[in-house]
């Protein structure tokens, strides 16, 4: 049985860890490398496809980038 994971907290921990590495970003808007994360949590049914899952996460990723980057956004109907 899988453990319950707080996906939002995990995504934020990863984003924060990348930022804290302070990797120089010489040609970017930020002085260090940052990352935007788009994610979706859902319980798939028999009709759920991998493509649908990826498209939802991608939608959330672009929302994160539109909000100024260096953040985590979960897919919701508002993101779509």
């Amino acid at each position: 049985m899988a453990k319950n994971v707080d996906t939002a907290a995990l995504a934020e921990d990863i984003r924060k860890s990348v930022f804290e590495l302070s990797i120089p970003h010489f040609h970017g808007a930020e002085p260090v490398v940052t990352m935007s994360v788009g994610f979706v949590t859902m319980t798939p049914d028999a009709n759920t496809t991998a493509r649908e899952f990826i498209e939802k996460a991608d939608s959330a990723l672009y929302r994160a980038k539109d909000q100024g980057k260096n953040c985590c956004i979960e897919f919701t109907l508002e993101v779509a």
Side-chain angles (χ1 to χ4, degrees), residues 14-71:
I14 293 168
R15 186 209 59 80
K16 186 178 174 186
S17 294
V18 168
F19 181 78
E20 289 174 349
L21 290 172
S22 297
I23 300 167
H25 194 258
F26 300 108
H27 303 290
E30 299 292 327
V32 296
V33 171
T34 63
M35 85 184 274
S36 299
V37 180
F39 65 96
V40 59
T41 55
M42 59 189 273
T43 303
D45 61 26
N47 298 317
T48 305
T49 65
R51 180 183 200 97
E52 178 184 1
F53 186 81
I54 292 167
E55 287 173 349
K56 288 178 179 180
D58 192 54
S59 176
L61 173 60
Y62 279 95
R63 182 71 174 270
K65 290 179 178 184
D66 288 343
Q67 289 188 7
K69 303 181 181 177
N70 195 31
C71 64

Side-chain angles (χ1 to χ4, degrees), residues 2-6:
K3 274 173 64 173
N4 286 337
V5 174
D6 183 344

